[in-house]
Amino acid sequence: MTADLFEDTPPERMAQPMVPGAVLLQGFARDLQAALLTSFEEVIAQAPLRHLVTPGGYTMSVAMTNCGPLGWVSDRRGYRYQATDPLSNQPWPKMPGAWRELAARAAAAAGYAGFKPDACLVNSYQPGAKLSLHQDRDEIDMSAPIVSVSLGLPATFLFGTERRADKPQRFRLLSGDVVVWGGASRLAYHGIAQLPAGDHALTGARRINLTFRKAGDAA
Ligand code: SIN
Ligand code: FE2
C-alpha cells in the first residue's frame, strides 16, 4: 500500500500496512523515547494515573490519565471526553508540543495529513494488565485518525475489523513504535493482550502508551 513512499527510509522507519487504513510505523518515535518519558513523568505528576471504573462496574487493569484540551474518562455513568480531570476538577495538563508534533508527523507518514489532536490518553500497563477488544467511538469527528505511541515493554496489539466477532490479527509493538489507524479502519476493534512480565531499560516493568485523538469538533 504505502511501500513506494518509504522505499528510501531505513528499515527502522519501515511502514507496515496492517489492514486498509492502518499502518504500523516501526521505530518512528525511537529517537524520542527518553524525551517522551520525561514529559510523561511531568504529565502524571499533575494528573496521576488511575484505574477507571467501567459503566458495568469493572475496574480497568490499565492505569490511565490524559493531557490536552480533552480527556477520556469512564465511570458508572458512561464513557466520555471532558475538559477537566475528575480527580481535581482542574483542566488536564497541557499536551506537550513535541507530543502533538510527533502525532501529526506520524499521521502524515501514514497518509493522514493535517491531524490536530485535542486529546491524548495516557495508558500504563503493568505485567498482567490488558485492554479488551473495543472500538474508539466516543470522538465526534471520525474522519480523523488515531495515533498510538508505544514505550517500554513489548506488547501484542490485537487489531480486527468493525465486527467484534472477527478474529483480530496480532502485531508486536516495541518501544518507539507508532500505530496509525483511520479511514476504513477507524472503527476497527482493537486491544492489548495481557502484558507479559519483563524489565525494560527505560520504563522498568511497564508499558506506556500515548493515544492521540481528535475528540471534539473544534477545527
Ligand atoms: C487504546 O486502545 O486506547 C490503547 C492501545 C494501546 O495501549 O496500544
Ligand atoms: Fe482504543
Side-chain angles (χ1 to χ4, degrees):
M1 182 179 84
T2 41
D4 291 348
L5 277 172
F6 292 90
E7 61 186 0
D8 293 330
T9 44
E12 69 273 18
R13 289 283 161 85
M14 284 294 280
Q16 308 271 334
M18 296 167 60
V19 300
V23 184
L24 166 52
L25 300 167
Q26 289 180 323
F28 193 87
R30 178 175 297 166
D31 298 346
L32 293 174
Q33 292 172 83
L36 290 167
L37 284 164
T38 300
S39 31
F40 160 78
E41 295 294 344
E42 290 165 9
V43 166
I44 66 168
Q46 295 171 64
L49 292 164
R50 79 290 306 263
H51 294 270
L52 298 173
V53 175
T54 66
Y58 163 82
T59 300
M60 298 179 74
S61 58
V62 181
M64 298 180 172
T65 188
N66 292 277
C67 64
L70 292 171
W72 185 86
V73 295
S74 173
D75 59 22
R76 292 305 297 239
R77 290 185 290 140
Y79 305 127
R80 64 191 171 277
Y81 283 94
Q82 60 180 55
T84 53
D85 180 348
L87 288 184
S88 65
N89 291 319
Q90 294 298 117
W92 296 104
K94 275 201 160 57
M95 192 187 300
W99 291 23
R100 196 180 319 105
E101 285 156 26
L102 167 64
R105 276 195 296 116
Y112 301 98
F115 180 51
K116 293 198 176 68
D118 59 11
C120 177
L121 174 66
V122 177
N123 295 313
S124 171
Y125 299 74
Q126 291 189 317
K130 69 179 171 72
L131 192 61
S132 307
L133 281 183
H134 65 279
Q135 293 171 297
D136 287 7
R137 54 183 298 168
D138 301 320
E139 301 74 34
I140 292 169
D141 177 7
M142 290 294 160
S143 70
I146 307 282
V147 174
S148 163
V149 178
S150 292
L151 296 167
L153 286 181
T156 300
F157 188 46
L158 309 169
F159 200 84
T161 73
E162 272 188 38
R163 298 190 316 168
R164 188 190 280 276
D166 287 346
K167 192 173 153 64
Q169 295 186 63
R170 299 165 78 88
F171 298 90
R172 189 168 162 82
L173 298 183
L174 303 179
S175 194
D177 286 351
V178 180
V179 179
V180 181
W181 68 96
S185 66
R186 177 61 181 75
L187 286 171
Y189 277 89
H190 60 278
I192 294 287
Q194 194 169 66
L195 195 77
D199 185 21
H200 190 275
L202 291 174
T203 62
R206 223 169 22 160
R207 170 178 184 262
I208 309 297
N209 168 262
L210 313 174
T211 296
F212 296 89
R213 305 175 177 138
K214 183 176 185 300
D217 54 4

